[in-house]
């Protein structure tokens, strides 16, 4: 990582990032931070193989693809490319493990493995966090303080369920579903793996997991942890590759259930491919979350929650609050506070402990963010960005607020998955709810007000799977997460999440 990136305190978008526009305002950072590099140094392996039947095996085609560090565009490792034959081998291994071992094992025994996995993850949390930040670009304070504790918490929580499933669904005897295909995205690589693997194992299923092609490294380190925990061979198999590998897995006749998190576009393809089959399906897709700030809200608290909810982790969050509805009376104050706060955000080296906004995960994602922001400006929005010198190499985007957005703008409708907040206004509570609901998505929302009664009235009308009030992006394994409308169906977490990994009929 060049030193320049570490010290980057933020401030001036490069003209290449955003087209010059009279409507663009720039303002500077207030101070510079000294670099505070992460002290744990981990070097990824030069090459990672597939994990099938409890062993690391070479892909049958002999092909590998590279995974980059998005902060400097340098190759980190080569990752095995799984094709149909490898997917077949992984599904067969999962079937054997289901029939011979895992499907028959008592919940009490399964729970012991899950507890063991959770404890080993805790022991190795720091090195896993470093690998996650290297491969995906997220700041170390996110991977270390949010992702990894949540990963361990998911295994602990579901370990506790394994021997209590008979009490979870009143009057019903839950049975495992069988072989689960799990396809996950790049924004929370290890956490999405944990969300999917832990409940599936607790319920007695076996798994073929496919990580995202830009962030496979931590999944392969998780495979080592599974070996260390002596999880029986074939209970979890991991195949790496891109969309084609995912498609082969989805279409495999030996799969009983598919759990997918990713884009709405691919979610729709998977829904079509599984229609008319006996496969159980859960989809967690995109979002276009709205924050509603009423004029009686604690404004500093609200602004802090909104900033965290869209800028930390580069906005690579399906429940990122990318639309902000502000009641007209406090509009000017809120904009001033947002503007002041974004000028203090630090963009740069993901492995610097001071960094708030790391690297955008891939060039494709950066291009998507740029094009949506360009469209927002072209459609009449006003772009507020701190002036920042972004590192020359790597994928970067300065934190951006776009005001003057209206509901018909693309930026208010399409998922952006980047550090960009669109601001809209409203007069009455009913108008706020109606406009917040005006999107094809329905994953999450945030409500900010001093009045408890207003919170309840508002959340009962919002069409979103999760609504946070006077806080944002708070997660717990006991709490179900999932969406309405084009954000998908099925829940993950809590007792509702378990329901999608059992048969009750
Ligand atoms: P994507 O949906 O293509 O990728 C997610 C996963 O699906 C990856 O593992 C990928 O290899 C796999 N996949 C791709 N095509 C597949 C197919 N035909 N069958 C089975 N699996 C397939 O998402 P992508 O292209 O990385 O991101 C595009 C947009 O999707 C983002 O800009 C963002 O708006 C949204 N997204 C939403 C996420 C969420 O958490 N809801 C996560 C990632 C992306
Ligand atoms: Mg990578």
């Amino acid at each position: 990582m060049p030193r320049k990136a570490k010290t980057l305190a933020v401030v001036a978008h490069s003209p290449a990032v955003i087209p010059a526009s009279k409507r663009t305002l720039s303002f500077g950072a207030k101070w510079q931070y000294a670099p505070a590099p992460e002290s744990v140094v981990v070097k990824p392996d030069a090459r990672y193989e597939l994990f099938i039947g409890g062993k690391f095996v070479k892909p049958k085609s002999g092909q590998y693809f590279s995974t980059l560090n998005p902060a400097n565009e340098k190759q980190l490792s080569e990752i095995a490319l799984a094709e149909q034959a490898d997917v077949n081998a992984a599904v067969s291994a999962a079937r054997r493990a289901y029939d011979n071992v895992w499907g028959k094992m008592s919940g009490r025994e399964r729970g012991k493995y899950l507890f063991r996995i959770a404890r080993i993850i805790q022991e190795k949390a720091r090195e896993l966090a470093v690998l996650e930040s290297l491969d995906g670009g997220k700041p170390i304070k996110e991977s270390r303080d949010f992702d990894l504790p949540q990963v361990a918490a998911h295994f602990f929580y579901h370990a506790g369920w394994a021997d209590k499933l008979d009490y979870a669904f009143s009057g019903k005897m839950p049975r495992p579903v069988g072989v689960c295909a799990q396809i996950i995205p790049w924004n929370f690589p290890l956490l999405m793996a944990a969300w999917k693997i832990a409940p599936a194992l607790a319920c007695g299923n076996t798994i073929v997991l496919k990580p995202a092609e830009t962030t496979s490294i931590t999944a392969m380190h998780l495979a080592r942890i599974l070996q260390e925990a002596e999880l029986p061979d074939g209970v979890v198999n991991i195949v790496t590759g891109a969309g084609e590998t995912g498609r082969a897995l989805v279409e495999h006749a030996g799969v009983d259930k598919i759990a997918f998190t990713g884009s709405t576009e691919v979610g729709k393809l998977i829904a079509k491919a599984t229609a008319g089959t006996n496969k159980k399906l859960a989809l967690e897709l995109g979002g276009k979350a709205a924050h509603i700030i009423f004029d009686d809200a604690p404004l500093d608290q609200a602004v802090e929650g909104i900033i965290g909810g869209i800028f930390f982790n580069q906005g690579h969050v399906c429940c990122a609050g990318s639309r902000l509805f502000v009641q007209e009376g406090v509009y000017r104050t809120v904009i001033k506070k947002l503007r002041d706060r974004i000028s203090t955000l630090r963009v740069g080296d993901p492995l610097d402990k001071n960094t708030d906004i790391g690297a955008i995960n891939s060039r494709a994602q950066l291009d998507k963010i740029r094009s949506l922001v360009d469209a927002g400006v072209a459609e009449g929005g006003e772009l507020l960005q701190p002036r920042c010198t972004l590192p020359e190499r790597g994928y970067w985007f300065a934190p951006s607020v776009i005001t003057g957005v209206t509901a018909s703008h693309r930026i208010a409708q399409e998922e952006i998955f980047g550090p960009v907040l669109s601001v809209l206004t409203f007069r009455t509570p009913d108008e706020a709810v109606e406009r917040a609901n005006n999107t094809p998505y329905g994953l999450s929302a945030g409500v900010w007000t001093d009045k408890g009664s207003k919170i309840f009235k508002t959340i009962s009308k919002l069409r979103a799977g999760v609504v946070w009030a006077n806080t944002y992006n708070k997660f717990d394994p006991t709490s179900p997460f999932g969406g309405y409308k084009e954000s998908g169906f099925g829940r993950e977490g809590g007792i509702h999440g378990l329901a999608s990994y059992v048969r009750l009929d």
Side-chain angles (χ1 to χ4, degrees), residues 38-169:
E38 164 64 42
S39 47
V40 173
V41 177
V42 193
K43 203 170 159 6
D45 293 5
R47 180 176 267 198
Y48 291 91
E49 309 292 356
L50 306 171
F51 184 60
I52 298 177
K55 294 174 189 55
F56 290 97
V57 297
K58 293 192 180 304
K60 293 208 165 62
S61 69
Q63 289 188 60
Y64 293 80
F65 59 96
S66 61
T67 190
L68 305 179
N69 177 346
N72 58 19
E73 298 173 61
K74 288 198 182 131
Q75 175 173 312
L76 286 169
S77 307
E78 286 189 330
I79 309 282
L81 176 64
E83 294 184 330
Q84 186 75 53
D86 307 291
V87 169
N88 294 349
V91 174
S92 302
R95 176 62 58 193
R96 278 195 302 278
Y98 178 73
D99 289 342
N100 301 332
V101 191
W102 199 251
K104 294 197 245 172
M105 193 182 280
S106 71
R108 188 154 177 261
E109 288 304 308
R110 290 199 306 270
K112 288 184 196 168
Y113 286 101
L114 284 157
F115 277 120
R116 209 181 286 164
I117 295 164
R119 283 194 296 266
I120 304 174
I121 288 171
Q122 281 187 320
E123 279 166 27
K124 300 190 192 297
R126 200 66 181 260
E127 68 177 75
L128 290 167
V130 171
L131 289 168
E132 199 77 310
S133 287
L134 276 174
D135 201 13
K138 66 171 62 191
I140 188 73
K141 69 180 177 192
E142 282 283 311
S143 51
R144 182 196 61 197
D145 300 344
F146 176 75
D147 296 42
L148 264 297
Q150 286 285 320
V151 171
H154 269 267
F155 278 98
F156 277 119
Y157 172 74
H158 289 97
W161 266 122
D163 62 349
K164 300 174 196 69
L165 293 172
D166 289 350
Y167 309 100
F169 307 98

Side-chain angles (χ1 to χ4, degrees), residues 221-236:
H221 284 255
L222 178 63
R224 288 182 194 160
I225 291 173
L226 302 178
Q227 277 186 331
E228 196 179 328
E230 295 176 6
L231 188 74
D233 292 351
V235 172
V236 175

Side-chain angles (χ1 to χ4, degrees), residues 182-188 192 210-214 241-251 258 260-267 269-270 284-287 316-319 361-362 364-365 368-369 414-418 441 443 481 487:
Q182 305 185 320
I183 299 176
I184 54 172
W186 40 261
N187 54 343
F188 292 90
M192 288 302 106
K210 195 202 81 65
E213 54 274 32
T214 53
E244 267 307 294
T245 312
R247 198 186 51 74
L249 187 55
V250 164
E251 292 175 2
I258 298 162
F260 171 79
T261 299
S263 61
T264 297
E265 187 192 351
V266 173
L269 290 177
I270 294 177
E284 204 264 273
L285 309 175
H316 292 343
V317 188
C318 51
C319 49
N361 184 263
S362 63
Q365 190 57 33
K368 178 179 167 184
I369 298 168
E414 294 179 31
E415 185 176 46
I416 184 157
F417 237 62
Y441 297 108
L443 193 55
F481 183 83
S487 293

